[in-house]
Amino acid sequence: MSINFSTSISGAFFANPIFTASGCAGSGKELSHFFPLTSLGAVVTKSIMIKPRSGRATPRMAETPSGMLNSIGLQGPGIDLFLENDIPWLREQGARIIVSIAGESVEDYAVLARKLRNVAGISALEVNISCPNVENRGQVFACNPDTASAAIAAVRRNIGGELPIIAKLSPDVTDITTIAESVISAGADGLALINTLLGMVIDTTSMAPKLSQKTGGLSGPAIRPIAVRAIYQVRAAFPKIPIVGMGGVTNGRDAFELVLAGANAVSIGTATFGNPMAAMTIKNELEELCEARGFTSFSDAVSYAHRVEA
Amino acid sequence: MSINFSTSISGAFFANPIFTASGCAGSGKELSHFFPLTSLGAVVTKSIMIKPRSGRATPRMAETPSGMLNSIGLQGPGIDLFLENDIPWLREQGARIIVSIAGESVEDYAVLARKLRNVAGISALEVNISCPNVENRGQVFACNPDTASAAIAAVRRNIGGELPIIAKLSPDVTDITTIAESVISAGADGLALINTLLGMVIDTTSMAPKLSQKTGGLSGPAIRPIAVRAIYQVRAAFPKIPIVGMGGVTNGRDAFELVLAGANAVSIGTATFGNPMAAMTIKNELEELCEARGFTSFSDAVSYAHRVEA
Amino acid sequence: MAEIGGQMINARAVQLSAEIISNKKVGAYHHMVFAVGEVAANCRPGNFVAISVGGASSSLVLRRAFAIYRASLRSDGMGLLELVIAPQGSGSKWLVAQEPGDRVDLIAPLGTAFGIPKEPINALLVGGGYGSAPLFSLAETLKARGCRVDMVLGASTAGKIYAPLEGKRSVNSLTITTDDGSAGIAGRVSDVLPNLIAEHEVDVIYSCGPMAMLEAITLISQKADVLHQCSVEESMACGIGVCMTCVLPVEGDDGVIRMTRSCVEGPVMDGNKVLWNKSREIPDGVWGK
Amino acid sequence: MAEIGGQMINARAVQLSAEIISNKKVGAYHHMVFAVGEVAANCRPGNFVAISVGGASSSLVLRRAFAIYRASLRSDGMGLLELVIAPQGSGSKWLVAQEPGDRVDLIAPLGTAFGIPKEPINALLVGGGYGSAPLFSLAETLKARGCRVDMVLGASTAGKIYAPLEGKRSVNSLTITTDDGSAGIAGRVSDVLPNLIAEHEVDVIYSCGPMAMLEAITLISQKADVLHQCSVEESMACGIGVCMTCVLPVEGDDGVIRMTRSCVEGPVMDGNKVLWNKSREIPDGVWGK
Ligand SMILES: Cc1cc2nc3c(=O)[nH]c(=O)nc-3n(C[C@H](O)[C@H](O)[C@H](O)COP(=O)(O)OP(=O)(O)OC[C@H]3O[C@@H](n4cnc5c(N)ncnc54)[C@H](O)[C@@H]3O)c2cc1C
Ligand SMILES: Cc1cc2nc3c(=O)[nH]c(=O)nc-3n(C[C@H](O)[C@H](O)[C@H](O)COP(=O)(O)OP(=O)(O)OC[C@H]3O[C@@H](n4cnc5c(N)ncnc54)[C@H](O)[C@@H]3O)c2cc1C
Ligand SMILES: Cc1cc2nc3c(=O)[nH]c(=O)nc-3n(C[C@H](O)[C@H](O)[C@H](O)COP(=O)(O)O)c2cc1C
Ligand SMILES: Cc1cc2nc3c(=O)[nH]c(=O)nc-3n(C[C@H](O)[C@H](O)[C@H](O)COP(=O)(O)O)c2cc1C
Ligand code: FES
Ligand code: FES
């Protein structure tokens, strides 16, 4: 009486719906010390940019009530070394791979898409548009329907083929369904909801912002109610669009909450910092919970909270 | 060596900077059982509307990690009974009073302002514009610069005299400084930051949203990093505007954090539910902390995190 | 006529740091005793307490409400408060994991109490699950007034019936029902009520338990034309009347239906005045709809 | 040449539920002992552990890192891990409040270890505050290799010097400095280092303590031209290399300066390769700036 626990995002198939969240699992190497990466639905890699990035100065993080702020600043090796080292290693492991990309201009996104278009073994592309747009006074792409859709359109034009494009949205907007609409029109096959919320912690001893960059992204259980709301709203507006949900999931109950709201898959971020085995525990608990509620297929549970009772 | 712990908001004087948060202390009656209301900087009353309001159906609340959702729906007696009963009672207590008002149309705000213009014993008016605007597809006033400023302008035109107007803003916007700018231009003398964030909890047993209205407002320590960020951003943009800060303050350290970010006074909301004495404890701890950091006047601590080190 | 009217927070409510004196598992529940000093003398059957849960770095920001099972001020001045706790979610599980010697932040007494008749009447006390907690001290008080006291306790299964020996002594008869028949009569309390009301010529029903049970009892009490005082259990964020989360549609003495705070104007209410079937909506006719 | 290179998480790292065996207050610190089974055999001086704090309904989402004070696998198969904890903020205060018999979720061993020379050299061990923790087991290891081991411990005040009797036995000399002069020499460890280096003909300095102290030691070691292995302490969110919060600008063997994870390529690093004075910025020349 076991359930069909697989899921698919716009044609890409995953054996189970639990993914890592971008930036919270590196490229999978360290987590593979704790469990085989093949037991994840997919590894979503840390957002990669065109060139190597040092990231921001420390302090880069501050713990907050039921959450944390980070301002890593997308530290990473750049797309070329990433393709040379990380992708082959992940392929060797037999992991399902979703590559997350990030740019500072529309052209950056185009270049990254072209670099990835012929790479074998990638299941989908996640496009992190919660990045400052250097061409537009540093305004974050995801905060404006025009810049959000421009970035996605650039990827769409250059990616070619069948690779699904997942647009990752920021919750720091007045109306997330407007942004969702713009990126879907621009060719996004799916959405990732949500990225971190902009927050700040002030150190009351030094009496200055705790992070070197002053603000950082808030993640963890604190933001789960925002994630559930965003997923629910977008699902209500777009009944069919595949959604990868994330935001404060620490156990199977939390993951189930996002699934009921509309998530076709659930990414685990901050929880991994507290517990390297978090994704595995959550996977097992979610499967049991779906079974306990009488679902024979995971996909039947997706968006179930939207049902209209007769 | 005691410090000058008083504060002022656009001409209105308060003996100390700790206020209640609207909707988290009723009209003060219940809290007066635990401490004299005169020991508060001010009582900010629950947002009052023109007519009596039943509020929303239950369940109206859900606990979340380090926070809670509420959808009370502004239950209250309406302005006439409020003026007949609550204001005289508060005046008798000798409390400093800030009346919070809420409307469903621009005209509502105008009517409320007229009802309040000649009422004695009120120190300031807080205008809660995080309400659905029935004339604009239920969009929240505070989410759009035009509707936000229209509501404030209506109050400004009708209030007359010296009563300071404090506009209470929602953090659920792409750029809170834009909204701040619009309400300041429309005549707001001060700002209250922040109202709750829109969130949702799904009950994983019933597999439906837990609140009767589906979404609710997220408050408590979980949102403190958002409040600090919003206050810091608005303070950076408007160095002189008086700000009443709120969002997840549970102890003196938290209050101090908001003060350093730019708050001229701090309101205590959700913390009171966990501890009826919260405002008193916070007041004492904040005063000690200001002293310990060498401030001789509370006002010197306000916005201190913005200083530029030589 | 202010909506939030004369009714104020329990005038005797005090916030204190209470030491845990004992903590014993009894069936599905924990019986916990707290040292509260003189406050114990001010607690009446039906009152509740509100306790902070989770400790210093807790993610649980709201208090939890618990009905007072028993309160006593000993001759040596030691005031004891007893609760019956069902470990359910994170707050109650934390509480039952605390040990004698540990302290909790507690506000007591809160809310309304069961009305005690001046005449010796026939009372039927009905409890569901841990809802039996406040009924035993109520039974003692009623007995002391010369009342006849019969009791019905229901639960899903035998382990969830809380009926300690000393408690049983204070009632004239005790009927038990369980959904699964593992103790007493198989069925629900509402199945046995009509007969008991008739048999014992009941004047007043006192009840405490899940909302659905209270609703069922109200229908029976209305049919039998007996009074019904019930202790309701709505989600409470503050317990002291400031948050407005714990409301129910209740008809006032003036005939007006208002969304009424169950932490201040309850938990004990006149069951016949609650609009039970509309408790999850704002019924037409409610003041301010 | 990938930025995050060959360096992997400590190959022996294991996540386990460890029972607290004892918890004793020693001066300003708590000495805590955990049962960890065979893992104890895999811990090297310099390695650290990462512990979940706050319990079931905790608002603290991140682990806390603690240097291993001592690890031993007893002949009866019982593996013990000892830590020295300074109660500071909410996480460490929660940990020191736990009692023998309680269990914590612990990952060990993590990070790099102090390099042990093959030859018998002269070593100077320098610790600040609880930074002395990993130095005593290091001293024993070095002694067993025939090294001369001198030690300097510094703190703000006497109560913050952690130097247990059995620890002192394993060093040739112990110098203590306190800022307030309440024990040993009034001053800082850096005041006494140059003389000690000369006096004992030191080949290698091993250090652990606040970052400012490590920076000061680096300057001295460079001047005196001795090696300097230090254990750094950057804020860590994950402790296992996945979050990138714990980085420092460090020059690699290839001469390239990278923002380097101190949880995987540290905490023990070559002090001379760390750009101390730039540790709160991204220095020019860093790869990827
Ligand atoms: C007046 C009153 C008297 C009560 N008396 C008792 C008693 O004597 N013994 C006892 O074991 N419990 C009693 N309860 C229930 C108790 O307050 C908690 O709600 C219950 O223990 C579940 O909380 P939790 O933290 O374990 O669960 P969680 O799931 O962590 O609770 C989350 C939130 O939901 C609320 N909630 C969850 N379940 C209920 C419920 N059934 N009713 C109301 N709110 C709920 C909680 O209060 C909390 O705010 C009483 C409640 C009220 C309002
Ligand atoms: C490699 C390493 C080894 C350590 N060894 C020890 C040890 O042997 N004994 C000991 O008592 N402590 C040690 N610490 C410090 C310890 O990990 C905690 O940071 C410290 O106990 C404060 O945490 P808290 O929860 O009490 O404070 P909080 O203020 O609640 O901490 C909030 C956050 O800030 C971080 N933080 C706060 N202070 C520091 C600090 N000084 N260094 C790094 N991060 C900090 C915490 O880790 C946490 O993420 C070590 C840290 C590291 C990185
Ligand atoms: C340390 C850290 C680094 C992150 N890096 C990225 C990133 O590179 N790209 C991205 O799209 N999101 C990044 N995120 C956001 C997460 O992928 C995720 O959307 C967010 O943290 C919410 O999920 P959580 O609460 O489970 O962590 C990062 C989050 C954290 C905490
Ligand atoms: C139960 C509840 C009711 C509230 N009612 C109001 C209200 O009537 N008017 C208003 O402007 N804000 C209202 N708020 C928002 C608070 O005033 C405050 O802005 C917010 O809760 C953040 O502060 P906190 O985290 O300290 O609670 C309410 C909040 C809560 C939790
Ligand atoms: S619980 Fe807050 S008003 Fe009743
Ligand atoms: S602490 Fe996470 S990478 Fe080092």
Side-chain angles (χ1 to χ4, degrees), chain A residues 23 29-30 33-34 52-61 63 66-67 72 75 81 85 273-277, chain D residues 1-3 11 13 15 59-64 107 236 240 243-244 247 259 261 279-282 287-288:
Chain A
K29 284 210 182 81
E30 294 78 11
H33 178 86
F34 293 93
R53 284 269 288 202
S54 64
R56 306 249 172 81
T58 56
R60 289 178 169 187
M61 78 103 170
E63 202 182 33
S66 297
I72 306 302
Q75 177 168 354
L81 284 172
N85 297 312
F273 305 163
N275 178 10
M277 288 295 290
Chain D
M1 188 197 64
E3 187 206 25
Q15 180 178 14
S59 64
L60 310 174
V61 298
L62 305 175
R63 281 175 190 259
R64 300 297 189 265
I107 305 176
M236 295 180 176
I240 58 163
C243 75
M244 309 301 291
V247 296
M259 296 307 287
R261 292 168 301 170
S279 72
R280 285 294 173 257
E281 50 187 287
I282 302 290
W287 194 59

Side-chain angles (χ1 to χ4, degrees), chain C residues 49-71:
Chain C
V49 304
I51 300 183
S52 293
V53 291
S57 51
S58 175
S59 65
L60 310 174
V61 299
L62 305 175
R63 281 175 190 261
R64 301 296 191 262
F66 299 98
I68 296 173
Y69 165 55
R70 191 182 290 272

Side-chain angles (χ1 to χ4, degrees), chain A residues 96-118:
Chain A
R96 303 288 285 177
I97 310 168
I98 298 179
V99 172
S100 171
I101 58 171
E104 295 179 301
S105 66
V106 172
E107 180 56 18
D108 277 7
Y109 287 101
V111 171
L112 287 161
R114 279 197 296 274
K115 295 247 183 198
L116 282 157
R117 62 183 296 169
N118 290 320

Side-chain angles (χ1 to χ4, degrees), chain A residues 155-241:
Chain A
V155 175
R156 177 81 292 161
R157 270 195 311 277
N158 288 281
I159 194 67
E162 312 264 278
L163 208 58
I165 301 174
I166 302 167
K168 183 160 178 183
L169 305 189
S170 163
D172 286 328
V173 294
T174 307
D175 180 5
I176 199 162
T177 61
T178 313
I179 310 290
E181 189 176 1
S182 74
V183 296
I184 293 170
S185 316
D189 303 295
L191 303 173
L193 302 170
I194 56 175
N195 216 313
T196 55
L197 282 93
L198 196 67
M200 181 188 272
V201 166
I202 292 174
D203 182 322
T204 53
T205 304
S206 69
M207 299 191 280
K210 189 153 180 187
L211 302 185
S212 70
Q213 297 299 307
K214 296 184 179 174
T215 59
L218 183 64
S219 64
I223 70 167
R224 198 170 61 237
I226 312 289
V228 173
R229 183 263 298 167
I231 294 167
Y232 190 94
Q233 283 180 329
V234 171
R235 171 58 70 226
F238 304 96
K240 307 251 158 188
I241 191 86

